[in-house]
Amino acid sequence: MSGIVVSELEYGPPGGDQLFFDVSFRVAPGEHAAIVGANGVGKSTILRILAGQLEADGGEFSINGSMLYMTQDVGMSQPGDTLREMLIEVAPPALRQAGRELVRAEQAMSNGDDDGMAYATALSNWGDLGGYELESQWQAAAQRSVKSQVDDVFTRLVSELSGGERKRLVLDLLLNSGADVLLLDEPDNYLDIPTRQWLEDQLQSCPSTILMVSHDRTLLERCSNKIIAVEGSGCWVHGGSFATYPEAREKRQELLGDHLKRWNEEERRLFHHMKIMKQRAAQNFKNATKANAAETRWEKFVAAGPPPPPVPDQHIYVRLRGADAARRVAQIRDVSMRDLFLPFSDEIYHGERVALIGPNGTGKTHLLKALSTELAPSTGEVRFGPRTSVGVFTQINDRPDFLGRECIDIVHDRISDEERAMKTLARYGLRGQARQKFETLSGGQKARLEILRLEIEGHNVLLLDEPTDNLDIESSEALEKALDGFEGTVVAVSHDRTFLAQFDRYIMITDVGEVYALPDYDTALLGLRQPDRLSSVKLAKPLHQLR
């Protein structure tokens, strides 16, 4: 089994500032390490360098043995792509290249551009490298991971699977591949809570060396035994799980501050001593040797440089004020959506925090869109009470109205004063992106900008679809704190268990379309683990109309 050794790695995007330098760490064979840090510090970039997709500006690294890499956007294929084409992209390098050549040769022969010779060569190369054995692994993983029957990965289209099913299929394949090293970028994204629990079990039992990027605090606590914190243009390593990381970072910050304070005190002492000896030497030449020695000692101390200072914390301040509204904010009457769930009725009251939960594909986002009036329900209606202003956060930060616009211009829609607009961007850690166009932002930066817009628009009802999916941990905690003090109503779809724990009540949609009201977090987790037993759970109240 192989480990990972990284030494003094540095990288800056073409034409941009240095992203990081002096990134050094080691992941021992069999360890499961996680890279954490603020959005935009280069976590995914480090994985891309280790996977050979980017070339570092400096430093070196070594990974011996077999290695497989999963990008955070895996499965986002072109229309018409098959599962085979998706899975080829996560194959070992040699097989990946052979698979691409085989697909091209098939297409050329189908179009009449090849007489079959190139296809025969590509097919032979695919078989010689172990392609047929890999196809068997694909089929087995598909049978385990996809709800509907997958008869043939060669013909089944990627578009026929949900984002969560695609991710689980790839994860199942990689975690059971026997590869020495796995590089996983956001493995939990698009996964519902039951699948995240499955992923945690798989990670804990996987013997491979794993280096991953994740913002799921529960997953990090359960599945990492080393934390690599990227901050201050470098990194440092915490040799424990994420559960003890915050305390370790706080102690490190204190020590860095103490070391710098002692260095400054020693520098002042040596400088003062040198000045005294210089004065004595001016009065008596016999002290010249001692004065020169004091000066040399001070110069050597300064030349060695001070210890690193504490890393400036990322301060994200979200101010969601809200406003008063009628007691009954929304009435859901006999609503169903495209046969995804049975018609159900419920009422949402001012100040409530209501979470929509359930497996992927059950219609949670569709229900949220019905509440926002983006989609009309198949049956029934949604009515909002007086004095309600509804703001929406989209799961994939899909804002066509923001495309081609700089962040500062988007803020100027509501805040005309330049200085105040810049201060608002700074509170969200976006001051450096003020003149950057929306589409060039990272996923986390887009999410923060969208939350910023909700703040300055001043709504008293917030509909949030996976708001923490792309946020770094500090930003998620800032959002949670802001929602805690928000004078208004929140309805959210989320699979982030730490985020969900602060909600008042839960509406769960099951795989068979039943809808239940669950009164607390523990009951919600029980329902997610055992949905088939919901009807017998004492505190679970059915909202759906029985068939």
Side-chain angles (χ1 to χ4, degrees), residues 258-274:
D258 291 343
H259 291 163
L260 184 59
K261 180 181 177 182
R262 285 197 292 270
W263 188 92
N264 287 328
E265 290 172 348
E266 180 66 5
E267 188 274 333
R268 285 195 295 269
R269 187 188 71 80
L270 293 175
F271 181 78
H272 183 64
H273 177 67
M274 177 196 70

Side-chain angles (χ1 to χ4, degrees), residues 52 167 200 510:
K167 202 74 172 274
E200 289 165 3
T510 70

Side-chain angles (χ1 to χ4, degrees), residues 134-151:
L134 185 59
E135 289 173 14
S136 297
Q137 294 177 29
W138 290 348
Q139 199 65 39
Q143 300 304 328
R144 292 191 298 264
S145 305
V146 181
K147 293 178 183 178
S148 56
Q149 181 71 23
V150 178
D151 296 321

